[in-house]
Amino acid sequence: MTEYTKRFLEKLTIKDWLEMSKKPNFDAVGILTAMKNLAKEFKQLNAYIMEYYDEAIEKVKKNPALFPFAIKDNFLIEGKKTTAASKILLNFNSPYSGTIVERLEKIAVITGKTNLDPFAMGSTGKHSHFGPAYSPWVDKNGEFLGPGGSSSGSAVAVSAGFALASSGTDTGGSIRVPASWGGFVGFKPTYGALSRYGIVDFSSFLDHPGYLTKTVWDCKYLFDQTKGIDENDLTTFDITPLKPKKKFAILDFSNLKVNGQTINCDKNLEKALEDTKNFYIKSGYECVKCEIPLIEYAAEIYCIIAYAEAASNLSRYNGIFYGDGKSYPLKNDDIFLKTRTDCFENQIKRRIIIGNYFLYGENYYKIYQKAMKYLTALNQQFMNILNNCDFILMPATPKGSKSMKEIIKYMDPIEEILMDIFTCPANYLGIPAITIPTVLDINGNPIGIQLVSKPMGEEILFSAGELIEKFFNFRENHSCYSNNMKNMEGKNVK
Amino acid sequence: MSNKKFYITCGLEIHAQTNTQSKLFSRSSTKYCTIPNENVTYFDIAVPGTLPNLNKEAINKAILTGLATNCTISDFCIFDRKHYFYLDLPFGFQITQFYHPICKNGYLIINDKKFRINRIHMEIDTGKTIHEEKRTLLDYNRSGIPLMEIVTEPDFRFEVDANNHKIFDDVIEFVKELIRILKYVNTCNCNLEDGNLRCDVNISVSLDKNILSEKVIEVKNLNSLTSIRAALEYETKRQIQCLEKNEPLFKETRGFDDQTGTTSRLRTKETALDYKYAPDGNLPIIDIARQQIEDLRKQMPELPYAKRIRYNENISSKEAIFVLIDTKELGEFYDKVCDLGVDKNIAANLITSDLCGLSQTINKQAYETKVTPNFLANIIKMFSENKISMKTAKLLLEDCFQTGEDPIILVKKKGLDKITDLESIKKYYSEIIFENAKEFERFKAGDHKLLQFFVGKAVQKTSGRIDIEIFKKLFN
């Protein structure tokens, strides 16, 4: 496949597809087939667990307006397997389709189910039963970067151009972190704006479905087509968009210490934040600085709630209905112990044990309830700022990615949790947030910024986001394929 | 055997299935079904990604039950998860209300004693496990059916000596009254054979009246009044024996075997599971408006306790009151009859002694027969106006029951009027003493007991129509 075609597919958006499909001679099948071939060429990126390109091509023949879309493999599609990248669901056939999938199938064709951290638990993608996914971006040594997680496969599908956009779930940053590391748009709405019905449960309180797209326009389009009350999910509601105030806050985290250390951000990111601030001011926005001291505890609050809920929601995988199908004796709880020991990945076991600890006996009051109190206080700090402005400007991730090889070899579990420090508050506060790609970091790897708004502030994020997206124009200025080629001079092109 | 006294303290946990059409969190039917796994939907077996719906009717019925048992109703409804692993628990947790039960601090008055209810909360029922020799069968029809768990304070206190164990009437009465109330407010069908109501008892024995023993033993899943009583009696005997022999008692959970009438250990409480109760994140907190509670309160019928007080004023027979209270519809039928202005005592008597028996022969309820309140009132009025005798009244009742005809018409048709005119009675008098000359001689000689004999003959001759008092006077 030529360099030109790869870049074409990398940059093609939903908006492009919809416009082209209105014109005669639109070769939808041709483009989709090229995507299939691109995915095949870069199979070692391990983006997909299952591919449905052939099926998609048949559907597109009949209706070329349907655009290619990839789905994270924790969304259930009727009649298809859903593994959640864990051994325990290897053979699980979904008996129904979730609400978002049903709404999407009216406007898109599904290219496949993408790789993830098992049960969406992780920030790197390395814990998957099917092996990690790799970003198409390479570092200076030609090694593929870590795509970020848990929506790792969805991130690769979008950054490499295997699909025009993909769905993901964001529980602590699982869409926004990969978006920052992959140079594209990652979006999480207000809690309840998109239905969770048909998404494998991780943390009922923190799970948010969301989208990984190449542009803000695509993101808004997908959101508008799939939002709204679902009678199957009692936590959903209809959004009434807010009127913008043309005022924003920029987060000052210079005094923030987590685990005794100040947060060191990439130098290019710091400059990008400064440039963003100045751009908005020039565009007529009023700017205030703000501090949110309780972000110091953001990751801990997240862990306590997320792990406790994970332990609860994963109790159903006990070998009776869900398991690897091996036959275990029923007495003495053997079936529970053996199935879960055998089939759960270490990442999952770790989280369940810790989560159970938080709910055990007095800890419910000493730890879990205490975390809820900190949550309320942190919410207060955020809302004090958001009540007076449209959004808060802050980093998505403090740094860019590194090579997946390094990440697999060793990533400090604490460091992995701290990656989410700027993204996880939006989850337990249930507020909308978006990552916009900006520049390359000091290592030449993509890095994005984050806008966070108040409940029902999606429209604010889309309009402010589009402005800054145009300003940085990452999509035009950078390509994973040229980056690929550039860093691999002299090496075999894979 | 010593003459030591033992003090028993008892508390109840009653699980009543709420009689809604569908389950608490899914739309599956709650109808009793013998085909296994027929009433099961994805949520009931914890398919990933499924989320709970909320059956508002179940909440309203729980509130009604609370109102009917004098509880305070919570301002909001919130559900928690109780975590443990078992074959019949698909989620690995049961959705229940641990931290905030929907109803609190109620009571029932039984035999002039107050027995307090600590809480009533909502939770879901589990599936059924059937253990066979080589396999275990799982049926999830029952999984998800809404339950109301009614927990009493340990107010059932009894004093027992080593020889007499048979007490516990208050416990049985409490359960019976609760069943009555649940049927009155129509929140539970209380068919014990279908498993609509199951009872756990907590019982402990102490040697000191004022000290409650810590060794509280729980006996689970008693599904009839007889097994409740039998389990309590067995446990009392067993615990007293242990105390007498100085054998240790353990805080534990036991099961009751109907066949052998004995209890045996299921698991110890000392190493009890931690259920890791935590709020359910998929169910929003529901506000319960005070207006909603008042609207439900207005819908409530008069309850057994109030009815009992009202009936005590006008009905002399305790047995009749018991029967009229036991079924709400029967009491309502009785009230309708009384509203037509008849003697309340007689109405009670005719319904409970006669109409109930008749209706049983065709397998119907007394309020479901051809005898309408109007018809019954007519019979009673005719008796009160001395137009017919009581015997005739009862015969008329039976006739009306068979034919469905107005008793007033029946009386005319069959000429069942009471015979009250002196001339006719004197005629019968003459006939009878002529036909029974020997007995009349003995009567005249002083055997006054024979008066009843002559009355009997008169009743026979006139099919009960004769005015007995006037007839008797002729013998003076």
Side-chain angles (χ1 to χ4, degrees), chain A residues 4 30 48 159 180-181 203 229 239 241 244 248 250 274-275 285 296 312 338-339 359 378 383 416 432 448 469 483:
Chain A
Y4 176 80
Y48 285 111
S159 27
S180 175
W181 285 5
S203 161
I229 283 190
I239 304 249
F248 75 101
I250 180 163
E274 187 67 22
D275 290 345
Y285 279 77
E296 184 186 340
S312 175
K338 296 219 162 101
T339 309
L359 293 177
L378 182 56
M383 292 318 290
E416 192 172 339
E469 171 188 58
N483 166 288

Side-chain angles (χ1 to χ4, degrees), chain B residues 269-295:
Chain B
K269 282 209 162 158
E270 246 116 58
T271 55
L273 283 174
D274 188 310
Y275 291 116
K276 300 188 286 291
Y277 292 100
D280 188 303
N282 291 321
L283 290 163
I285 301 175
I286 297 140
D287 285 315
I288 300 177
R290 298 296 98 184
Q291 188 56 49
Q292 181 187 353
I293 296 174
E294 287 319 303
D295 291 341

Side-chain angles (χ1 to χ4, degrees), chain A residues 253-312:
Chain A
F253 49 89
S254 52
N255 294 323
L256 208 52
K257 276 208 171 89
V258 179
N259 237 26
Q261 297 175 310
T262 46
I263 301 179
N264 288 322
C265 270
D266 181 88
K267 288 283 174 293
N268 289 359
L269 172 63
E270 283 181 355
K271 178 160 190 306
L273 284 167
E274 187 67 22
D275 290 345
T276 306
K277 179 187 93 178
N278 293 331
F279 170 76
Y280 279 128
I281 292 172
K282 238 185 245 163
S283 308
Y285 279 77
E286 193 187 327
C287 175
V288 290
K289 248 195 184 171
C290 70
E291 279 191 272
I292 305 178
L294 282 178
I295 290 188
E296 184 186 340
Y297 301 104
E300 284 166 78
I301 297 172
Y302 166 76
C303 284
I304 292 167
I305 299 171
Y307 293 12
E309 290 225 294
S312 175

